[in-house]
Amino acid sequence: MTSFDGELQALIDNMIETMYAAPGVGLAAPQVGVSRRLAVIDVSTKEEKAPLLVLINPVFLGREGEIEFEEGCLSLPDYTTMVKRAEKVAVRAVDREGRDTEIECGGLLAIALQHEIDHLDGILLVDRISPVKREFFRKRYQKARKRGK
Ligand code: CO
């Protein structure tokens, strides 16, 4: 059972603030050291406004098609890579007030949903790329860490 208490609301507000400050289009609770199935997403661009989504216990109802898109992640600074995802998804989740919501979408929102739900399952985008690219990433990232980045 999820309790929609002040603690949860504060965590959500914190995550939203962190996402906007980064700036990023999404953030999942495990990225801030909280192991809950909770993510926030806002895929707004300068040109197009999108809603701020708070998703608790999100599950896929359906996936369709395939698309490849260049993704980055707040947990992997200065790294982007092409990742294959479903082109359209349907997701059910609970919002911050405890209401059931269903989202059917494509485009950047569909990609962000898959990326953030991956985080809830402990999957990073480097787990979604080919072994060769992953090895390249590992070397590059270790070097960056040694430099204290
Ligand atoms: Co991420």
Side-chain angles (χ1 to χ4, degrees), residues 42-125:
D42 184 344
V43 295
S44 294
T45 60
K46 267 186 203 134
E47 296 77 34
E48 212 176 326
K49 204 88 192 97
L52 168 63
L53 298 174
V54 176
L55 305 163
I56 299 162
N57 297 329
V59 288
F60 287 108
L61 302 176
R63 306 171 208 236
E64 207 183 288
E66 192 179 83
I67 192 169
E68 214 174 355
F69 187 82
E70 187 169 7
E71 295 183 28
C73 179
L74 298 180
S75 296
L76 307 166
D78 304 321
Y79 181 74
T80 62
T81 186
M82 297 299 285
V83 183
K84 267 188 201 144
R85 303 278 188 190
E87 190 180 5
K88 290 179 187 168
V89 296
V91 170
R92 184 173 53 217
V94 172
D95 71 9
R96 67 186 301 170
E97 276 88 39
R99 291 176 302 222
D100 280 323
T101 46
E102 280 185 23
I103 304 152
E104 261 190 71
C105 62
L108 188 55
L109 182 54
I111 290 161
L113 279 164
Q114 292 170 85
H115 181 112
E116 297 312 326
I117 293 173
D118 265 0
H119 274 300
L120 306 184
D121 296 325
I123 299 167
L124 290 177
L125 56 87

